């Protein structure tokens, strides 16, 4: 539940309320906003919330108490009304600008990642993506270059002046990957890997959390809650397609998730039309639709020669296609009152 304090509440009042909540065995989280200070109560039992809300509302230092009955709290819009903005080396995700992240599925070699980094920067993408640890369905497929891939991605980002995002697969690698990347990506197959969520929650790096391919919106937000409960509130939600009966596309891109997540949560929401469709031909229309639906950003796979890509070539745009798409996306963004 959330306790909104009156404008005249003093530090002593805040301390007393926190003390009282802690004595009940619940956690507290004080958030001092520009206009209001709010105290979040973590772990209160639903059956106790209404009584406690009434008791606290009788205090002069309390303006109102909102008993949140949703299973996630820190991630909820009730908890925090204004949208969260995440600043990655000056690139703001969750603001007016639609932030495009682009790059290959996997980092393959120096020449290719450098070429791609320069090209996506020239096309006005703001973040470079690339996998070094790849979660492949088959153990015989290319698994990524590991630390060597991280070094190449880091170097490419540094040379062209773009922040980078890359996936971490294993809780034991969080420290290593954190040394290179600006954003830690949690892939769809790991959305419910709770030890991994807990581990990235201990870092202070932004986390790009992909929706599990068979996860409900509530499970998705609970996964974000795992990260936030560890103190890391910089979570970017990513809709990347879910599994349905449909076989004509790799996944079914659930664009309803975008406005719905914005309604339920204050966290920024981005869309991955590459994994969401699995076919490069479908990437441009779904990228445009995502912006129209209110996405705060996109993550798009781009490869200089998709026909030779070591992974996900069928859904990767080549460089000229990406340039064309970026010009078209700018018009869609403008039409919905945003920029790129
Ligand atoms: C990726 O972005 O490289 C990736 C593997 O995506 P997902 O986890 O959505 O399949
Ligand atoms: Mn991929």
């Amino acid at each position: 539940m959330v306790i909104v304090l009156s404008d005249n509440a003093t530090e002593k009042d805040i301390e007393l309320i926190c003390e009282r909540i802690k004595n009940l065995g619940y956690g507290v989280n004080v958030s001092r906003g520009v206009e209001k200070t709010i105290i979040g109560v973590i772990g209160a039992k639903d059956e106790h919330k209404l009584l406690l809300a009434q008791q606290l509302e009788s205090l002069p230092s309390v303006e109102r108490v909102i008993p949140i009955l949703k299973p996630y709290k820190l991630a909820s819009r009730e908890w925090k009304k204004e949208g969260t903005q995440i600043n990655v080396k000056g690139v703001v995700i969750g603001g007016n600008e639609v932030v495009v992240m682009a790059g290959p599925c996997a980092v393959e070699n120096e020449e290719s990642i450098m070429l791609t980094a320069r090209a996506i920067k020239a096309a006005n993408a703001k973040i470079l993506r690339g996998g070094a640890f790849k979660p492949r369905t088959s153990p015989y497929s290319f698994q990524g270059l590991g630390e060597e891939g991280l070094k190449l991605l880091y170097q490419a980002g540094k040379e062209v002046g773009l922040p980078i995002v890359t996936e971490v697969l294993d809780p034991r690698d969080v420290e290593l990957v954190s040394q290179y990347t600006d954003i830690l990506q949690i892939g769809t197959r790991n959305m419910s890997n709770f030890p991994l969520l807990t581990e990235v929650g201990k870092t202070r790096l932004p986390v790009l959390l992909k929706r599990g391919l068979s996860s409900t919106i509530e499970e998705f937000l609970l996964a974000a809650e795992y990260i936030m409960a560890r103190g890391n509130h910089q979570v970017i939600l990513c809709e990347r397609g879910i599994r349905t009966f449909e076989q004509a596309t790799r996944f079914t891109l659930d664009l309803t998730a975008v406005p719905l997540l914005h309604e339920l949560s204050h966290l920024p929401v981005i869309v991955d039309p590459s994994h969401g469709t699995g076919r490069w031909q479908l990437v441009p229309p779904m990228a445009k639709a995502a912006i129209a639906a209110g996405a705060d950003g996109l993550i798009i796979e781009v490869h200089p020669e998709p026909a030779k890509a070591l992974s996900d070539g069928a859904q990767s745009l080549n460089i000229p296609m990406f340039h064309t798409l970026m010009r078209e996306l700018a018009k869609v963004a403008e039409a919905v009152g945003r920029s790129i």
Side-chain angles (χ1 to χ4, degrees):
M1 55 194 251
V2 175
I3 305 166
V4 183
L5 298 179
S6 316
D7 293 344
N8 57 10
T10 63
E11 281 303 314
K12 187 78 198 154
D13 293 327
I14 298 175
E15 211 177 290
L16 284 173
I17 295 173
C18 290
E19 208 49 44
R20 175 162 172 186
I21 294 162
K22 283 188 203 152
N23 287 340
L24 290 168
Y26 305 144
V28 287
N29 183 302
V30 181
S31 152
R32 291 176 169 81
V34 185
E35 291 186 5
K36 294 274 173 210
T37 295
I38 60 174
I39 301 178
V41 181
I42 302 160
K45 295 192 183 64
D46 277 357
E47 61 274 19
H48 189 200
K49 279 180 186 165
L50 289 176
L51 175 65
L52 185 58
Q54 281 168 6
Q55 291 176 343
L56 291 169
E57 269 187 347
S58 72
L59 297 172
S61 54
V62 172
E63 183 178 295
R64 109 193 114 90
V65 181
I66 308 160
I68 300 177
L69 297 170
K70 292 213 175 65
Y72 46 87
K73 294 177 178 60
L74 300 173
S76 75
R77 187 64 87 168
E78 278 131 319
W79 175 271
K80 188 167 170 280
K81 270 211 182 59
E82 68 279 13
T84 287
Q85 300 196 347
I86 297 175
N87 190 321
V88 189
K89 287 187 172 159
V91 177
V92 178
I93 303 162
N96 187 261
E97 186 184 353
V98 176
V99 175
V100 178
M101 312 179 185
C105 179
V107 178
E108 297 176 357
N109 57 60
E110 187 178 353
E111 192 192 341
S112 171
I113 191 67
M114 277 310 308
L115 184 80
T116 312
R118 284 197 199 98
I120 64 131
K121 163 115 181 176
N124 203 24
K126 297 288 156 60
I127 294 178
L128 174 66
R129 65 147 287 149
F133 294 96
K134 294 304 302 174
R136 306 306 302 281
T137 304
S138 163
Y140 307 116
S141 302
F142 174 57
Q143 304 286 311
L145 297 178
E147 188 171 1
E148 182 55 26
L150 293 176
K151 286 184 182 159
L152 294 176
L153 186 67
Y154 172 85
Q155 201 49 41
K158 199 169 145 198
E159 283 213 27
V160 300
L162 290 179
I164 59 172
V165 55
T166 196
E167 180 165 352
V168 58
L169 282 182
D170 188 319
R172 291 166 298 188
D173 290 334
V174 170
E175 209 183 308
L176 173 79
V177 179
S178 299
Q179 285 166 20
Y180 294 96
T181 197
D182 301 297
I183 305 176
L184 290 163
Q185 178 173 323
I186 300 292
T188 192
R189 292 160 189 83
N190 271 317
M191 190 210 82
S192 302
N193 181 340
F194 303 118
L196 182 61
L197 298 177
T198 301
E199 212 49 43
V200 298
K202 289 190 211 157
T203 74
R204 288 300 171 262
L205 280 180
V207 177
L208 191 166
L209 176 65
K210 291 193 151 193
R211 179 180 180 183
L213 52 92
S214 297
S215 298
T216 64
I217 294 287
E218 186 167 297
E219 288 162 343
F220 189 19
L221 288 170
L222 280 166
E225 190 82 10
Y226 256 93
I227 299 169
M228 299 174 85
R230 281 301 178 142
N232 186 350
H233 290 197
Q234 301 199 81
V235 179
I236 304 154
L237 303 169
C238 178
E239 164 59 41
R240 50 78 67 209
I242 51 175
R243 187 143 280 168
T244 66
F245 57 83
E246 185 54 70
Q247 303 286 306
T249 48
R250 189 175 176 193
F251 294 96
T252 297
L253 187 63
D254 177 16
L255 286 184
T256 317
V258 178
L260 189 55
L261 287 166
H262 275 142
E263 183 184 309
L264 298 171
S265 175
H266 54 85
L267 296 171
V269 181
I270 70 162
V271 170
D272 176 347
S274 307
H275 293 89
T277 62
R279 291 178 51 201
W280 65 265
Q281 295 90 334
L282 301 177
V283 171
M286 296 319 284
K288 292 174 203 165
I291 296 180
D296 298 302
L298 294 164
I299 182 162
I300 298 175
E301 286 187 339
V302 177
H303 193 284
E305 284 184 282
K308 294 189 182 161
L310 297 181
S311 59
D312 286 350
Q315 66 193 34
S316 299
L317 299 183
N318 66 25
I319 288 164
M321 282 171 195
F322 182 66
H323 271 268
T324 305
L325 174 61
M326 286 298 280
R327 282 194 294 273
E328 292 170 359
L329 292 180
K331 292 185 210 152
V332 179
E334 199 191 334
V336 296
R338 301 186 75 159
S339 62
I340 275 209

